[in-house]
Amino acid sequence: MDIDEARAAVEALGEINIPAELRDHLALFVRLERKVLREYDEDICNIFDKLLASVIAANEGNPGEEAAGDPTNEQGIPTTQSATADAFRDAIELIDSLSLDRAQIIVRAFTTFFHLANLSEENYRVETLRKRESRVSIDSAVDPVNELTVAYRQMIDEVGEDKANELLARLEFHPVFTAHPTEARRKAVEGKIRRISRLLAERPRLGGSDLMENERHLLQEIDALLRTSPVAPKKPTPVEEADTIIDIFDNTLFDTIPMVYRRFDDWILGDKAGTVPPVCPAFFHPGSWIGTDRDGNPNVTAKVSRQVAAKFATHMVSTLANKCRRVGRNLTLEAKYTKPTDELLNLWNHQVEMSEVLTDRAMTISASEPHRAVMLVMAARLDATVARNADTMYNSAEEFLGDLRVVQRSLAASGAVRAAYGPVQTIIWQTETFGFHMVETEFRQHSVVHTRALDDIREHGIHGELAPMTREVLDTFRALGSIQKRFGIKAARRYIISFTKSAQNVADVYELAQLAFAHPEDVPVVDVIPLFEQLEDLENCVDVLDDMLAIPAVQRRLEQSGRRLEVMLGYSDSSKDAGPTTATLALHSAQARIAAWAERNDIDLVLMHGRGGAVGRGGGPANRAVLAQPAGSVNCFFKPTEQGEVIFARYGNPALAQRHVESVAAATLLNSAPSVERTNTQTTERFADMAARLNDVAHNTYLDLLNTPDFTPWFSTVTPLTEVGLLPIGSRPAKRGLGAKSLDDLRTIPWVFSWSQARINLAAWYGLGSACEALGDLELLQQAYAEWPLFSTFIDNIEMSIAKTDFRIAKMYLALGDRDDLATKVFEEMQLTRKWTLAITGSTWPLEKRRVLGRAVRVRNPFVDALSLAQVRALREVRMNQDELSEEAKAEYMSLILATVTGVSAGLQNTG
């Protein structure tokens, strides 16, 4: 293919069959990136064009389907004589011809495009939402774009207004942000992406010189993106990882969450919105494991936990101080026309007694504006809280909230209702949502660590020569107590036990908490949360919970908490342990049984869902997952982990964050609707026999693969498992550190991440194809897909995962190993699963019925293929010539492989 043909193929991207706005943005970014590449090196641009043209040609038609039976050579490269196979081989030959330095630049070019493509899709989603919203009449009973208003109206229709309001008051969405290393994109890259996003959003409003200046800025940022290493120079520390949450908080959450509440009020209250007390409760309460999840992460210590909690709180209170000051400065309401209440005057007098310096300064600015003066003193007290000035600081968020409500009541009483329920209500919502802590930190540790610590203490005594890990365990409880004392109970009270096997594991934690303190009154409030994650643990969970209720410390805590109890379920390890089909069904069964147990024991249940971004770790659309949960298991409270690239995807853009929160909150409320509970219960019963038959075959098929001799070393050979562990994308090691010698000790994240890099995604689907083949009843499977929410969600997630696989590239990865038996097992199961998934959904290719998403994925695939080919060829060189390569060459190959890992991750998106 000559260069003119290559350029024509690249420019044909502008004619692809996707919505015009999305197509135009993709074409814009291809044009701008090619311009930057030409400026960098004309020859590099020509290579980019030729490679892209080859992979585009290699993807014409439906090669993923056709290539399954194609013969290959010993390297997994197709030997068929066809246009698509020829183009595929052309791409490989071009990559093989590049020097390592040039290959690195080409990899960066394709990775850069993925970042730009992601922005194009994000921008399209935002604009689509705005257009839909603009078509909604304000006279409509609900806002169909705001799913929360739709859910609330449906609840009123089904259970009546009083019951609907009771359930609304209970509503809570509690995402827990974690530092799992699946966000392969470095922070320096995120800043550039955010700036490009703003520039792209501006373009429709610009023309003439302004549009030219916009394009110049875009080229500047794209050029910088291309020249920036996609791999960070070092792994972040846990304290640095906290910046991820602070960044999301600053850019979206702090202002977006009260807007979610406001939008609900606007629709429900109509003309009264902003002039009467709000209807929407502050239902969003984020949590965090960053700096407190020490399960297998030696970098998380008691000292680190204190530092991270202080970092969150300092930033939070400083942000509230600035907000309070802005609101106060705008309350220029003269006392003559907005008379303060006696309550407000009493608050002012209290402030004068506390600090005449602060009040004199406020009165100088606002002599006849008492509401303004009070708010300015409140802002100064928040500054004092950051500085730890004991004379004037607030002791708690509740104390600050109390003062805000005094101001609000005074404004409302004087007739200034729009000030009271406008800006003052906004800061009240923000304080109710984030407190002084920003996120509710949760500690986590492996049950074995607690057992060993107690054995050590019993042998040597609490003041004896204890092992370093035992001292660290005790210091952890002291850190929890210190955080709680300084920032409040909400800041730190949850303690999760990984691999909970029995109620004794729970009793161990309460005992250690007591042993860590010399005086009983110093022992902090601790809510111990059992985490059930392996198949056996899920099956035995109710027995463990029964035994938990007999523990005196648990009984005392239930009395204090109104009998609220949290239980966590692990999607990741259960899927790695038993396979995706069995894990899905076992988790659903466990939730139903735990919900029934809670009802029998008068427990106010909160189920925490340890989900990842990838399908193999419970990923997929959160709202559909909630609506598919068993009756009684959601209880108006949804608490998932949010990990890796999912955090940025869901919360990085204000409009999309708003949409996500509204959607999940709506599903959380709607799960309690009688119609939803009835559907989930009846369909689970109706298809129970089918599920059992699928489960039996899928589980055995999955275990047969894992139990094949020497599977683990083969897995690490045919995927970039070792290389993924070297990526500086998280402080957490790939292994738990309790003697990792096999697949059992490998964390689920690199297990899923590595298979996705190999374009196989085995963790998401393995076993389902054989199960469907054994069942052999397509009509029954299609009926279940149409009627059973759990099954339809499961199949749709698998279809998404399959859409990102590629038979030809999978063969090349599988050929890296020397086990034809294992490669055949994987490949045949991959074919079976694809065949049955498409048959169940009635599609000819994955995501065919998803008009935008399906085509967007197909547009991306050629770009991903280019990076995958670069990765697998580099892996082959390293695997096959390990002894011949110099240390310098090995380092260069490793750098190239790591760059492709970040690029493929950006291209596939939900990879971990």
Side-chain angles (χ1 to χ4, degrees):
M1 182 180 294
D2 65 31
I3 193 61
D4 291 333
E5 291 174 317
R7 285 174 180 160
V10 172
E11 286 159 6
L13 277 172
E15 301 170 10
I16 50 183
N17 181 27
I18 55 175
E21 301 95 320
L22 178 55
R23 181 191 63 219
D24 291 346
H25 285 152
L26 287 172
L28 167 71
F29 281 136
V30 169
R31 176 174 66 80
L32 295 180
E33 181 166 3
R34 290 179 67 223
K35 181 177 177 67
V36 165
L37 286 172
R38 278 197 305 275
E39 293 170 353
Y40 179 84
D41 185 328
E42 183 80 31
D43 194 34
I44 289 292
C45 186
N46 291 340
I47 294 168
F48 177 83
D49 286 348
K50 287 181 178 179
L51 181 56
L52 181 54
S54 294
V55 289
I56 288 171
N59 276 275
E60 287 181 2
N62 198 352
E65 188 77 35
E66 298 164 3
D70 285 357
T72 61
N73 63 19
E74 73 282 356
Q75 296 182 23
I77 300 171
T79 56
T80 309
Q81 297 304 311
S82 68
T84 55
D86 289 346
F88 191 75
R89 287 189 292 270
D90 287 345
I92 295 171
E93 288 172 11
L94 181 55
I95 288 169
D96 287 348
S97 72
L98 299 177
S99 67
L100 284 173
D101 188 53
R102 290 204 157 191
Q104 182 79 247
I105 291 296
I106 291 297
V107 164
R108 286 192 187 187
F110 278 91
T111 301
T112 296
F113 175 78
F114 282 129
H115 294 315
L116 301 176
N118 291 344
L119 281 181
S120 299
E121 292 173 19
E122 184 179 276
N123 182 275
Y124 173 75
R125 289 167 61 200
V126 171
E127 289 305 312
T128 300
L129 286 171
R130 285 177 180 155
K131 286 178 182 176
R132 286 176 57 200
E133 191 96 61
S134 70
R135 292 193 290 266
V136 178
S137 167
I138 61 173
D139 297 324
S140 174
V142 296
D143 176 0
V145 179
N146 186 342
E147 294 178 41
L148 186 54
T149 67
V150 178
Y152 178 67
R153 287 297 180 191
Q154 183 175 334
M155 293 302 294
I156 290 175
D157 291 343
E158 292 198 30
V159 300
E161 189 168 357
D162 289 346
K163 182 64 175 177
N165 287 333
E166 179 186 326
L167 294 170
L168 179 67
R170 283 184 53 85
L171 178 65
E172 184 162 348
F173 176 30
H174 189 110
V176 178
F177 301 122
T178 78
H180 285 291
T182 59
E183 172 58 277
R185 174 172 55 201
R186 61 180 292 200
K187 299 298 173 241
V189 169
E190 282 183 5
K192 294 174 176 60
I193 290 171
R194 195 169 264 129
R195 289 191 292 276
I196 294 171
S197 177
R198 286 195 288 266
L199 289 166
L200 182 63
E202 290 172 1
R203 285 182 70 83
R205 303 188 298 274
L206 303 178
S209 298
D210 289 340
L211 187 60
M212 291 177 67
E213 176 63 7
N214 175 276
E215 188 153 313
R216 186 193 68 77
H217 266 134
L218 281 171
L219 287 165
Q220 174 185 309
E221 293 293 347
I222 293 170
D223 181 70
L225 197 55
L226 179 72
R227 294 170 186 270
T228 300
S229 172
V231 182
K234 70 177 185 67
K235 281 181 174 286
T237 67
V239 177
E240 290 168 341
E241 284 175 325
D243 290 330
T244 301
I245 306 308
I246 291 173
D247 183 57
I248 292 292
F249 173 82
D250 286 343
N251 283 286
T252 55
L253 294 182
F254 186 67
D255 291 316
T256 298
I257 297 305
M259 184 56 67
V260 170
Y261 306 152
R262 183 71 69 190
R263 280 164 51 84
F264 181 82
D265 264 27
D266 286 345
W267 209 263
I268 300 304
L269 294 173
D271 290 342
K272 293 181 179 178
T275 65
V276 295
V279 174
C280 192
F283 61 76
F284 184 88
H285 298 287
S288 171
W289 284 4
I290 295 174
T292 49
D293 178 10
R294 56 243 310 125
D295 176 12
N297 190 348
N299 300 306
V300 175
T301 62
K303 180 181 178 181
V304 164
S305 297
R306 288 188 181 94
Q307 288 175 330
V308 169
K311 187 173 187 175
F312 284 141
T314 298
H315 191 85
M316 182 69 237
V317 178
S318 295
T319 304
L320 281 174
N322 291 332
K323 176 73 174 185
C324 186
R325 193 169 290 110
R326 288 197 303 274
V327 172
R329 283 174 178 163
N330 285 321
L331 289 179
T332 54
L333 313 177
E334 279 191 278
K336 182 178 178 181
Y337 301 103
T338 310
K339 186 179 179 181
T341 60
D342 290 344
E343 187 182 30
L344 186 93
L345 295 175
N346 288 338
L347 174 56
W348 171 255
N349 291 333
H350 173 67
Q351 291 175 334
V352 171
E353 291 170 11
M354 182 179 292
S355 172
E356 290 188 9
V357 174
L358 297 184
T359 50
D360 285 350
R361 190 181 305 150
M363 282 304 291
T364 301
I365 302 169
S366 313
S368 61
E369 301 160 348
H371 295 92
R372 186 181 196 223
V374 166
M375 287 286 283
L376 292 177
V377 174
M378 289 164 61
R381 289 193 64 194
L382 289 171
D383 291 334
T385 305
V386 173
R388 305 296 293 168
N389 183 331
D391 291 336
T392 56
M393 65 182 284
Y394 279 107
N395 293 311
S396 67
E398 287 69 28
E399 185 184 356
F400 175 59
L401 264 175
D403 285 357
L404 285 172
R405 291 196 173 106
V406 169
V407 175
Q408 185 179 57
R409 284 193 293 268
S410 179
L411 289 166
S414 66
V417 290
R418 293 201 177 275
Y421 300 115
V424 175
Q425 180 58 46
T426 296
I427 192 173
I428 286 175
W429 270 328
Q430 288 165 326
T431 309
E432 289 175 329
T433 297
F434 302 107
F436 279 0
H437 46 268
M438 186 186 295
V439 288
E440 299 179 22
T441 58
E442 303 188 357
F443 288 69
R444 184 172 76 134
Q445 183 56 281
H446 199 292
S447 58
V448 170
V449 173
H450 303 137
T451 302
R452 291 175 181 173
L454 281 171
D455 288 345
D456 190 20
I457 292 168
R458 287 166 187 150
E459 181 177 350
H460 299 100
I462 191 69
H463 300 298
E465 285 294 321
L466 299 173
M469 178 57 84
T470 303
R471 292 198 298 273
E472 177 59 36
V473 168
L474 294 171
D475 284 344
T476 295
F477 288 100
R478 293 166 188 143
L480 189 154
S482 171
I483 294 167
Q484 196 174 103
K485 185 175 290 185
R486 182 171 173 182
F487 305 119
I489 289 176
K490 287 184 179 179
R493 62 180 172 83
R494 296 177 176 91
Y495 195 105
I496 299 165
I497 311 170
S498 298
F499 289 89
T500 301
K501 301 291 183 183
S502 70
Q504 184 58 49
N505 297 147
V506 176
D508 288 349
V509 172
Y510 279 115
E511 184 177 352
L512 286 164
Q514 292 287 332
L515 290 169
F517 296 89
H519 302 289
E521 60 268 22
D522 292 332
V523 178
V525 173
V526 181
D527 285 327
V528 180
I529 303 172
L531 167 51
F532 302 108
E533 37 198 335
Q534 294 188 309
L535 184 62
E536 181 183 5
D537 304 329
L538 291 171
E539 291 170 345
N540 298 333
C541 62
V542 170
D543 292 338
V544 173
L545 293 172
D546 267 333
D547 293 342
M548 257 185 75
L549 293 183
I551 299 172
V554 173
Q555 293 171 354
R556 286 194 297 272
R557 187 63 192 129
L558 286 174
E559 288 176 11
Q560 296 165 354
S561 67
R563 298 194 65 76
R564 172 163 283 193
L565 180 73
E566 291 192 29
V567 177
M568 183 174 176
L569 301 177
Y571 288 61
S572 303
D573 280 285
S574 59
S575 183
K576 179 169 74 74
D577 179 44
T581 305
T582 298
T584 297
L585 296 171
L587 285 159
H588 194 261
S589 170
Q591 289 170 54
R593 287 181 287 113
I594 293 171
W597 168 86
E599 187 174 8
R600 287 196 305 272
N601 290 280
D602 189 30
I603 296 294
D604 182 13
L605 176 68
V606 172
L607 276 178
M608 182 177 179
H609 304 266
R611 309 166 78 236
V615 175
R617 300 188 55 239
N623 58 330
R624 291 190 63 196
V626 176
L627 288 171
Q629 304 301 318
S633 66
V634 175
N635 202 18
C636 291
F637 196 124
F638 185 54
K639 185 182 179 187
T641 52
E642 299 277 34
Q643 303 173 353
E645 80 289 341
V646 172
I647 295 176
F648 196 82
R650 288 178 174 167
Y651 301 97
N653 179 284
L656 298 182
Q658 175 183 289
R659 159 79 170 169
H660 174 67
V661 172
E662 288 175 349
S663 180
V664 173
T668 304
L669 185 63
L670 205 52
N671 183 270
S672 296
S675 61
V676 174
E677 291 186 337
R678 189 165 52 248
T679 296
N680 285 328
T681 301
Q682 291 177 354
T683 53
T684 298
E685 292 171 355
R686 188 182 314 139
F687 296 107
D689 179 64
M690 181 202 78
R693 292 161 67 190
L694 288 175
N695 176 65
D696 184 52
V697 176
H699 192 204
N700 289 332
T701 302
Y702 185 78
L703 293 182
D704 176 65
L705 175 71
L706 265 60
N707 293 333
T708 303
D710 297 322
F711 171 80
T712 303
W714 176 80
F715 159 58
S716 60
T717 300
V718 300
T719 70
L721 171 67
T722 303
E723 292 75 16
V724 165
L726 296 174
L727 264 179
I729 54 177
S731 68
R732 203 166 176 224
K735 297 177 182 178
R736 276 200 159 83
L738 294 170
K741 298 175 182 176
S742 70
L743 202 63
D744 292 338
D745 298 309
L746 179 72
R747 289 193 180 281
T748 311
I749 295 162
W751 163 254
V752 174
F753 198 85
S754 299
W755 282 120
S756 71
Q757 288 286 317
R759 303 295 295 284
I760 295 171
N761 280 340
L762 177 146
W765 50 260
Y766 197 90
L768 179 66
S770 290
C772 292
E773 189 80 8
L775 184 71
D777 191 338
L778 178 58
E779 185 178 350
L780 178 61
L781 289 165
Q782 288 178 329
Q783 185 184 358
Y785 177 70
E787 299 176 11
W788 189 13
L790 176 72
F791 191 68
S792 63
T793 302
F794 177 58
I795 293 296
D796 284 347
N797 286 341
I798 285 182
E799 184 185 24
M800 162 71 84
S801 185
I802 288 172
K804 298 178 181 182
T805 63
D806 188 282
F807 281 131
R808 297 163 305 180
I809 290 173
K811 285 181 178 181
M812 294 180 68
Y813 278 92
L814 294 174
L816 293 173
D818 57 359
R819 293 289 301 275
D820 290 343
D821 57 330
L822 284 168
T824 300
K825 276 184 183 180
V826 169
F827 199 75
E828 289 181 350
E829 187 64 26
M830 193 174 174
Q831 288 177 275
L832 266 181
T833 304
R834 180 187 176 100
K835 181 188 83 171
W836 279 98
T837 301
L838 294 180
I840 292 168
T841 60
S843 303
T844 55
W845 50 272
L847 302 179
E848 180 184 17
K849 296 183 178 179
R850 304 284 293 277
R851 174 177 165 265
V852 177
L853 179 61
R855 285 161 180 78
V857 168
R858 296 193 91 184
V859 168
R860 283 167 171 273
N861 279 343
F863 292 83
V864 185
D865 289 356
L867 289 173
S868 294
L869 290 173
Q871 183 183 107
V872 73
R873 299 306 282 172
L875 284 171
R876 170 165 285 279
E877 190 67 25
V878 171
R879 300 278 193 271
M880 303 304 162
N881 301 305
Q882 183 75 20
D883 297 333
E884 288 77 20
L885 291 173
S886 66
E887 290 304 314
E888 182 182 358
K890 286 179 186 176
E892 288 180 354
Y893 272 110
M894 192 62 65
S895 175
L896 177 62
I897 291 167
L898 295 183
T900 64
V901 167
T902 61
V904 171
S905 177
L908 298 178
Q909 292 185 295
N910 52 347
T911 55

